[in-house]
Amino acid sequence: MKRVVISLAIILLASPLAHSDMDATRVTLRDHVLKLINRDRQLYGLPPVQLDLDASAAGDQYCREQIRTGTNGHYGIDGIPPYMRYSLAGGNDGVSENAAAWSATYAFSDRALYEMARRSEDAMMGETAPNDGHKKTILDPHATHVGIGLAWERGEFRLVHEFVRRYVKWARPLPRHANLADTVIASARPLDNAKVEAISVHFEKAPQAMPATVANSIDSYSLPSNRKDYLPRLRQDYSRQANGTIEIVRREYSDGRRGDFYVGKDGEFSFTIPFTEGPGVYTVVVWVRRGGTGVPIAASNVSIRVDGTAAMPVRASAASR
């Protein structure tokens, strides 16, 4: 994913917003951005996404921190990437982020805010391959919800899209902090005619604080390449032969494995997260496939900080999905 950073050069005349009007403006501006997103998705034959208030609240907080620390894009001075930030805010689903930033020498008016939101959307949708990461995120065919984060102050405007893929209902959500000796079990069931395909566990060292100049120089993000994949356990087939004997057919994957975790008849699965790399951050991705066809969908990005210290603070809470 990449970011859009724009210096505002066109003066949009109107009176600056009073602080007491900011909450009302935030609601209407968020609705405006949602309509722009769904307008563009409809043009490409994609279903609309619903507004996610929890993801929006987390996005608002991130945008405010960006203005306070003078950062833009996907990283703040805490060094935490978007998928980890969403997870720490209580998110349990798959997420992809777009980010835009505007700067000016004057306080923004209501008219300016709406204009910047529109221009940000148009700039993202105007991208061409191979540099079209924002456009692909907006047109994610598997996105079901979106959080829209907004903040503006002292001539600075920040906007983030948190596109969410909600295909898993968690019976036993993962913690955000654990120790190496802990046994951490995830238990969940896919939704919407989906079926669990695999589980990936990505590992990275704990994020480190960085200066704003370094954070602003990072124009993209991705999950760490250090990953291990785990597959559903294959069942044995039994068949009674004509002579009365029972034949057992042992199913295996192409690499000879039988699988790593059990899946119930109703699709619910349980998986023990292996902390094989020592202290650090383990991000769990549940892959699902809908209707038995199509490509697998990354339906979670849950990050767990594993060490022996106090838990990282959770900035917001969200109901388990």
Side-chain angles (χ1 to χ4, degrees):
M1 308 305 165
K2 294 190 176 180
R3 61 161 185 242
V4 174
V5 181
I6 307 170
S7 295
L8 184 61
I10 299 176
I11 298 177
L12 302 167
L13 299 175
S15 300
L17 286 168
H19 186 75
S20 59
D21 296 330
M22 290 182 69
D23 287 342
T25 299
R26 186 182 307 279
V27 172
T28 56
L29 182 58
R30 185 169 283 143
D31 182 64
H32 174 65
V33 174
L34 180 63
K35 288 178 179 177
L36 292 173
I37 289 170
N38 282 331
R39 175 205 65 186
D40 291 332
R41 289 179 62 86
Q42 184 179 31
L43 289 173
Y44 284 80
L46 297 173
V49 288
Q50 300 177 44
L51 182 66
D52 186 309
L53 294 178
D54 291 324
S56 296
D60 287 346
Q61 177 65 22
Y62 177 56
C63 289
R64 286 191 289 266
E65 290 181 5
Q66 283 193 311
I67 292 176
R68 180 180 62 82
T69 59
T71 55
N72 55 65
H74 299 298
Y75 285 83
I77 61 173
D78 56 10
I80 296 176
Y83 56 87
M84 197 180 299
R85 186 169 55 247
Y86 172 75
S87 181
L88 290 174
N92 292 300
D93 306 297
V95 67
S96 299
E97 179 180 87
N98 282 338
W102 293 74
S103 298
T105 57
Y106 53 86
F108 292 128
S109 67
D110 182 88
R111 178 186 170 192
L113 294 172
Y114 280 81
E115 183 70 6
M116 287 183 293
R118 183 188 64 79
R119 292 189 183 187
S120 296
E121 180 76 12
D122 290 347
M124 293 177 186
M125 290 301 299
E127 294 172 344
T128 56
N131 301 311
D132 57 347
H134 295 99
K135 183 177 181 179
K136 287 180 177 178
T137 299
I138 293 171
L139 300 180
D140 178 359
H142 308 300
T144 59
H145 296 73
V146 65
I148 300 169
L150 300 159
W152 59 94
E153 186 179 357
R154 303 188 308 274
E156 295 291 332
F157 175 70
R158 299 291 187 272
L159 164 67
V160 295
H161 303 155
E162 307 292 349
F163 281 90
V164 175
R165 294 177 296 278
R166 185 159 295 149
Y167 292 99
V168 173
K169 181 177 178 61
W170 295 87
R172 184 172 182 172
L174 289 165
R176 297 327 191 243
H177 181 267
N179 294 310
L180 279 174
D182 292 342
T183 299
V184 174
I185 301 174
S187 181
R189 179 173 56 83
L191 302 173
D192 297 334
N193 195 29
K195 176 181 175 183
V196 63
E197 187 87 358
I199 296 175
S200 299
V201 180
H202 298 252
F203 174 79
E204 61 194 296
K205 295 296 184 182
Q208 301 295 314
M210 62 179 69
T213 53
V214 174
N216 293 342
S217 69
I218 305 173
D219 64 0
S220 63
Y221 75 94
S222 63
L223 285 166
S225 58
N226 185 352
R227 64 180 272 186
K228 294 182 179 179
D229 298 322
Y230 303 89
L231 301 173
R233 191 160 180 81
L234 296 174
R235 294 186 177 90
Q236 294 184 147
D237 287 341
Y238 301 85
S239 61
R240 185 176 293 277
Q241 304 301 302
N243 60 5
T245 62
I246 295 177
E247 180 179 309
I248 301 175
V249 179
R250 178 185 171 94
R251 295 184 177 276
E252 296 179 345
Y253 290 103
S254 59
D255 60 0
R257 286 192 296 166
R258 295 199 58 210
D260 308 290
F261 60 93
Y262 286 99
V263 179
K265 292 183 179 180
D266 62 352
E268 184 166 347
F269 61 91
S270 293
F271 177 66
T272 302
I273 312 302
F275 300 140
T276 58
E277 302 292 330
V281 178
Y282 294 77
T283 298
V284 180
V285 179
V286 176
W287 296 90
V288 303
R289 193 185 296 271
R290 298 181 66 190
T293 60
V295 299
I297 303 166
S300 75
N301 298 120
V302 181
S303 296
I304 309 169
R305 169 76 175 263
V306 178
D307 57 20
T309 64
M312 296 177 71
V314 176
R315 299 191 183 101
S317 61
S320 297
R321 305 297 182 185

